[in-house]
Amino acid sequence: MMHPLTRVLQGGDKYQQAFYVYEELAQAPSTSSILTLVSQAVCELHLGRVEEAQGALEQALQKDPKFTEAIANLLVLNFVTGKDPSELTA
């Protein structure tokens, strides 16, 4: 039987692997997109790298301020970090 901590560590490894893929896609001009930035941010968030996740989401929103996946994930990030979500509305 697998120890529960082993499952968590495997999940962390999977998020780290996914992060590397999305980071590479987001940095290459031919494959950079808003969705790759959001995906990168989600991996960062699961890895506990809150500031990096916020930076990637802000980059995505600079490209398209109405991109719903970026807005939704920024709301989740703000909730997780205890920030006031009303700061997002302008």
Side-chain angles (χ1 to χ4, degrees):
M1 183 184 251
M2 186 181 294
H3 189 276
L5 183 57
T6 304
R7 288 179 185 250
V8 171
L9 294 175
Q10 286 179 344
D13 288 344
K14 300 289 185 194
Y15 283 116
Q16 187 65 49
Q17 291 170 3
F19 164 76
Y20 288 136
V21 170
Y22 288 121
E23 179 185 43
E24 191 169 317
L25 289 171
Q27 290 179 1
S30 62
T31 56
S32 180
S33 73
I34 299 167
L35 191 55
T36 57
L37 286 167
V38 172
S39 300
Q40 177 184 343
V42 169
C43 291
E44 295 272 23
L45 185 57
H46 281 281
L47 292 167
R49 300 192 291 234
V50 175
E51 289 179 18
E52 293 86 348
Q54 183 172 349
L57 290 171
E58 288 173 356
Q59 277 186 303
L61 289 170
Q62 285 175 356
K63 292 182 179 222
D64 182 356
K66 295 183 180 187
F67 195 73
T68 55
E69 287 86 350
I71 294 168
N73 280 288
L74 194 53
L75 285 168
V76 169
L77 180 81
N78 283 350
F79 177 78
V80 167
T81 58
K83 293 181 183 174
D84 184 1
S86 67
E87 294 175 13
L88 291 177
T89 58

